[in-house]
């Protein structure tokens, strides 16, 4: 869970790192007029705006690259956790089968039991563990991004959220309506 929070924070900072860079890129005079930026410009002894923009761009790229690495590691560890959980389940199921009395195995083929153990553990991993972990992980990312957008510009964040949410509701109702019509025509 710590890595999921770290991933959410790093992705948020990765996107947030682009905003000042694009602002400086669109208006290079900001280097001289913004007090904070001009202090950095003078403190690092830059002689041209172009060089400063290159360094700021490389820093933003580095932050995005670090966020991508953290996301890769987190995704790998989440998948590893799910696979190990599936393996442990398969071991426990096998152990329970092996504890059964001899009579239990007389009318069951060992290949069928093996297939059932593997199918059940794979189904748990692919249908429950991994999707659940992804929902939690990307839910944390969405919350972090939403907080960032609300902190930067609440009006635009709420407007964009309303438009996206409105489209989602429209698409959901359309799909639900078309599926319900298909279901009704199948019944007739």
């Amino acid at each position: 869970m710590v890595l999921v929070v770290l991933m959410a924070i790093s992705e948020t900072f990765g996107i947030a790192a682009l905003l000042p860079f694009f602002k400086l890129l669109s208006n290079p005079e900001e280097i001289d007029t913004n007090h904070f930026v001009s202090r950095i410009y003078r403190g690092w002894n830059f002689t041209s705006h172009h060089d400063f923009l290159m360094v700021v761009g490389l820093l933003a790229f580095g932050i995005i690259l670090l966020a991508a690495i953290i996301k890769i590691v987190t995704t790998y560890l989440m998948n590893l956790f799910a696979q190990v959980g599936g393996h442990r389940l398969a071991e426990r199921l096998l152990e329970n089968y092996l504890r059964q009395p001899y009579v239990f195995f007389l009318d069951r083929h060992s290949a069928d039991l093996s297939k059932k153990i593997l199918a059940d553990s794979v189904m748990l991993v692919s249908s429950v563990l991994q999707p659940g972990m992804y929902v939690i992980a990307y839910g944390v990312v969405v919350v972090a991004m939403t907080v960032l957008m609300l902190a930067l510009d609440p009006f635009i964040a709420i407007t964009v959220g309303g438009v996206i949410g409105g489209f989602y509701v429209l698409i959901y109702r359309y799909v639900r309506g078309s599926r319900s019509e298909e279901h009704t025509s199948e019944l007739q």
Side-chain angles (χ1 to χ4, degrees):
M1 194 61 172
V2 172
L3 277 175
V4 169
V5 172
L6 182 64
M7 180 180 76
I9 291 170
S10 68
E11 283 196 34
T12 304
F13 278 125
I15 290 173
L18 288 175
L19 298 176
F21 173 64
F22 285 144
K23 187 174 183 181
L24 288 175
L25 202 57
S26 67
N27 185 13
E29 292 81 30
E30 184 97 15
I31 296 171
D32 297 321
T33 59
N34 186 312
H35 178 69
F36 179 73
V37 176
S38 66
R39 284 185 64 188
I40 294 172
Y41 180 79
R42 287 190 311 271
W44 288 357
N45 297 323
F46 282 99
T47 55
S48 75
H49 287 184
H50 180 266
D51 293 342
F52 182 71
L53 288 174
M54 288 292 288
V55 169
V56 171
L58 288 173
L59 285 173
F61 177 74
I63 291 170
I64 292 169
L65 186 64
L66 179 65
I69 291 169
I70 291 171
K71 184 176 182 178
I72 289 168
V73 169
T74 303
T75 302
Y76 171 76
L77 291 175
M78 284 189 330
N79 287 332
L80 180 66
F81 178 79
Q83 294 299 323
V84 168
H87 177 71
R88 287 184 183 153
L89 174 71
E91 284 179 334
R92 281 189 259 149
L93 285 172
L94 178 62
E95 190 175 307
N96 283 338
Y97 278 134
L98 293 176
R99 288 186 180 160
Q100 298 299 317
Y102 179 72
V103 177
F104 176 80
F105 296 101
L106 290 177
D107 58 346
R108 289 177 180 85
H109 195 277
S110 61
D112 291 336
L113 295 175
S114 299
K115 188 169 65 173
K116 182 163 176 49
I117 290 170
L118 291 174
D120 287 350
S121 61
V122 166
M123 188 171 60
L124 174 79
V125 169
S126 64
S127 300
V128 177
L129 287 178
Q130 285 179 327
M133 289 189 317
Y134 283 122
V135 165
I136 292 169
Y138 289 107
V140 172
V141 170
V142 165
V143 167
M145 296 282 187
T146 303
V147 168
L148 173 69
M149 290 185 339
L150 287 171
L152 292 176
D153 194 342
F155 177 74
I156 290 179
I158 291 170
T159 303
V160 168
V163 168
I164 291 172
F167 277 122
Y168 177 79
V169 168
L170 289 174
I171 291 170
Y172 175 77
R173 286 187 176 171
Y174 174 76
V175 169
R176 186 175 173 200
S178 66
R179 292 190 78 199
S180 130
E181 289 174 9
E182 288 175 13
H183 183 67
T184 304
S185 66
E186 288 176 6
L187 292 176
Q188 294 174 356

